[in-house]
Amino acid sequence: METLLKETVDITVNSRYPGMAPEGRQQIEEILIRKEVEKGELLLKEGQISHNIVLVGKGMLRQFYYKNGKDVTEHFSYEGCIVICIESTLKKEPTHLMIEALEDSIVYLLPYDKLMLLTEISREINMFYRKILEYSLIVSQIKADSWRFETARERYNQLMRHQPEVIKRAPLSHIASYLLMTPETLSRVRSGIL
């Protein structure tokens, strides 16, 4: 059994449903598809339908979209994170979100249809799936509230506190768009002017 696969499943499952038994973890491992993605490569393009939940084994990805010709970063993911384009995956409709590798990465694709079959026969897999969705909803709400109520400095400090890997590894232009700032504003925030 590939070590990175097992580590990725353990880290990912532990972050959402730590009580899952080894049998459930094994069932997930058996349906994952390993994929190597080069820096700059798109794992999902605009207009495609997302058929997979992505577990990041190594590297960093971002979800982004275009608005008024500008590239807007929606989410960053790295080792142990889960990436899901919820609307496209659940409704089986083309997505506006794209997934790009910010580093050479190894990901594991969890086919949604196979996962759904497992949720019907395994209470544990069903719970894991539920926890993925609950976590995604919470993250979306936290982000929406941050945009509504926090200053630029507060948004940057939250990112530093909760996702220091992003600050260390992602390009500043992507961090700025994620925080809904211009690169100039981010620069002022980082230097303490704002």
Side-chain angles (χ1 to χ4, degrees), residues 104-160:
D104 289 344
S105 302
I106 297 171
V107 299
Y108 296 95
L109 307 178
L110 178 56
Y112 184 73
D113 291 342
K114 288 183 179 179
L115 178 64
M116 288 303 91
L117 291 174
L118 284 178
T119 64
E120 292 175 22
I121 59 170
S122 167
R123 181 189 169 282
E124 287 220 313
I125 302 291
N126 194 4
M127 279 298 294
F128 176 60
Y129 173 62
R130 192 172 120 194
K131 295 293 183 187
I132 289 172
L133 294 181
E134 287 173 0
Y135 184 84
S136 295
L137 281 170
I138 291 166
V139 166
S140 294
Q141 184 66 55
I142 289 169
K143 187 164 187 207
D145 287 348
S146 170
W147 287 345
R148 281 194 286 263
F149 304 119
E150 294 177 351
T151 65
R153 167 153 295 292
E154 288 168 336
R155 290 194 305 272
Y156 180 75
N157 287 342
Q158 288 282 14
L159 184 63
M160 271 186 19

Side-chain angles (χ1 to χ4, degrees), residues 61 70 95 99 128 133 135 161 182 188 190 192:
L61 309 175
K70 285 199 168 131
T95 185
I99 301 173
F128 176 60
L133 294 181
Y135 184 84
R161 194 167 28 260
T182 63
R188 288 199 299 275
R190 286 166 56 98

Side-chain angles (χ1 to χ4, degrees), residues 1-191:
M1 177 58 63
E2 184 191 339
T3 307
L4 184 59
L5 169 63
K6 187 161 183 30
E7 285 173 4
T8 302
V9 169
D10 282 342
I11 291 168
T12 308
V13 168
N14 289 343
S15 73
R16 301 295 185 272
Y17 183 43
M20 182 186 275
E23 300 78 46
R25 294 167 193 254
Q26 180 68 40
Q27 286 177 304
I28 290 170
E29 285 177 21
E30 287 170 3
I31 62 171
L32 289 174
I33 301 159
R34 184 182 199 269
K35 183 169 178 58
E36 294 187 21
V37 192
E38 291 181 8
K39 180 179 178 174
E41 188 179 335
L42 291 179
L43 192 58
L44 184 68
K45 297 179 178 137
E46 185 174 17
Q48 289 183 321
I49 296 172
S50 174
H51 298 288
N52 301 293
I53 295 172
V54 180
L55 282 59
V56 182
K58 181 178 177 293
M60 181 176 269
L61 309 175
R62 74 173 179 127
Q63 283 177 292
F64 73 103
Y65 58 91
Y66 287 105
K67 182 176 181 177
N68 301 325
K70 285 199 168 131
D71 166 324
V72 181
T73 299
E74 173 82 10
H75 189 71
F76 293 101
S77 303
Y78 41 86
E79 294 82 5
C81 292
I82 294 173
V83 184
I84 179 172
C85 294
I86 293 177
E87 188 176 17
S88 178
T89 304
L90 299 185
K91 293 165 83 177
K92 297 189 184 329
E93 290 180 356
T95 185
H96 293 291
L97 286 175
M98 292 164 272
I99 301 173
E100 175 189 25
L102 295 179
E103 302 171 352
D104 289 344
S105 302
I106 297 171
V107 299
Y108 296 95
L109 307 178
L110 178 56
Y112 184 73
D113 291 342
K114 288 183 179 179
L115 178 64
M116 288 303 91
L117 291 174
L118 284 178
T119 64
E120 292 175 22
I121 59 170
S122 167
R123 181 189 169 282
E124 287 220 313
I125 302 291
N126 194 4
M127 279 298 294
F128 176 60
Y129 173 62
R130 192 172 120 194
K131 295 293 183 187
I132 289 172
L133 294 181
E134 287 173 0
Y135 184 84
S136 295
L137 281 170
I138 291 166
V139 166
S140 294
Q141 184 66 55
I142 289 169
K143 187 164 187 207
D145 287 348
S146 170
W147 287 345
R148 281 194 286 263
F149 304 119
E150 294 177 351
T151 65
R153 167 153 295 292
E154 288 168 336
R155 290 194 305 272
Y156 180 75
N157 287 342
Q158 288 282 14
L159 184 63
M160 271 186 19
R161 194 167 28 260
H162 297 292
Q163 291 186 292
E165 286 300 307
V166 171
I167 301 291
K168 288 185 218 157
R169 295 163 61 183
L172 289 179
S173 59
H174 297 330
I175 294 171
S177 79
Y178 174 74
L179 295 171
L180 295 182
M181 304 177 192
T182 63
E184 295 74 31
T185 301
L186 177 59
S187 193
R188 288 199 299 275
V189 166
R190 286 166 56 98
S191 64

